[in-house]
Amino acid sequence: MLNKLKGKRIMITGASSGIGEALAIECARRGMHLGLVARREEHLHRLAERLRPSGVQIETAVLDVNDTDQVTPVLSGLADLLGGVDIVIANAGILKSRKVGDGRMHRDQQIFQTNVMGAIATSEAAIQLFRLQGRGGQFAVTSSYSAFLPLPMAAAYSASKAAVTSYFNAIRAPLLRENIRVTVLHPSFVKTDMLDGFETRGLPIVARADEMATAMMDAIAREQHNPILPKQPWGMLYQAQKLMPSRLILELQKRM
């Protein structure tokens, strides 16, 4: 899988930390040219300088995907600097926990705005770019295994990822007519700064970001539709979960 993506031009949102940063490092390792997008300019520049010795082209753009009107012009400008784009990953996302009924519904609104509408805005920009180029492309979006196993302390996050999975699976078929491929990534629980302040004791098998980035890029290289990552044990758990009685799933959620 290393050589398959070499020389490809990729744009990644939410690239300044966590999985996004790990994806940038992994893509540079594979010889891909990078367009890195995030809110925090200082973090972006630090990451870009770290990766420049790899010899790939690196361009950066500051963007908050919540400002949906700016997503298309910013990504278009970044594509111009890169000389085009082959792959776009909508990775920007947030996690805010709360207890149900605590009155802090604004936190849920923020999650849906960033995780769902930000991803959709990114896809709209990517589709326009692919159409202008006239040769198709690949759009990938970071969902989560919590789309299938909702987290009680992060109900809005889980629901937002379920919405992402449903939306991008819905648009895959019509886009294939234009050679635009859609990959919906479902990483398991990953230890990043997003989990700071979130109780991880009940989460099973918290993975490392670098290992997850490798698995995600392999899935993108294979143009998989809905990979669950890593495949072992999570793919097996997903199949087993389908057969579990709802009472057993409820007991599992109680421990999270």
Side-chain angles (χ1 to χ4, degrees), residues 32-217:
M32 302 176 73
H33 304 298
L34 304 174
L36 305 179
V37 181
R39 291 180 297 111
R40 296 177 291 186
E41 185 173 14
E42 182 180 344
H43 287 69
L44 272 180
H45 288 168
R46 188 182 305 130
L47 177 60
E49 290 306 310
R50 175 183 173 185
L51 297 179
R52 290 200 194 283
S54 64
V56 300
Q57 181 182 358
I58 302 172
E59 306 292 346
T60 64
V62 177
L63 172 69
D64 184 343
V65 296
N66 289 318
D67 188 358
T68 53
D69 290 339
Q70 289 300 309
V71 175
T72 293
V74 169
L75 294 193
S76 295
L78 196 57
D80 288 342
L81 293 173
L82 285 171
V85 63
D86 301 297
I87 303 169
V88 175
I89 305 180
N91 174 72
I94 60 173
L95 167 64
K96 293 177 183 287
S97 63
R98 78 177 184 100
K99 292 182 179 179
V100 64
D102 67 4
R104 296 185 295 171
M105 198 178 73
H106 66 279
R107 295 170 74 89
D108 296 350
Q109 292 173 323
Q110 292 168 352
I111 288 168
F112 274 88
Q113 178 63 34
T114 300
N115 296 0
V116 181
M117 297 313 299
I120 292 173
T122 303
S123 73
E124 289 290 309
I127 292 164
Q128 289 185 37
L129 288 170
F130 294 148
R131 284 172 174 166
L132 284 172
Q133 293 174 164
R135 59 177 182 272
Q138 186 177 6
F139 180 81
V141 60
T142 303
S143 182
S144 168
Y145 191 85
S146 66
F148 311 125
L149 184 63
L151 304 173
M153 285 296 292
Y157 175 80
S158 301
S160 73
K161 293 303 185 179
V164 163
T165 294
S166 181
Y167 182 90
F168 288 102
N169 279 321
I171 68 171
R172 177 181 291 110
L175 289 175
L176 279 174
R177 302 187 193 109
E178 303 175 76
N179 194 31
I180 300 172
R181 290 88 65 200
V182 176
T183 294
V184 186
L185 301 155
H186 297 91
S188 58
F189 307 110
V190 182
K191 181 58 179 175
T192 67
D193 56 2
M194 184 182 287
L195 288 180
D196 288 349
F198 188 82
E199 178 55 64
T200 60
R201 182 179 56 191
L203 297 182
I205 316 174
V206 177
R208 284 174 22 201
D210 58 339
E211 295 173 338
M212 187 59 68
T214 299
M216 291 168 76
M217 292 311 303

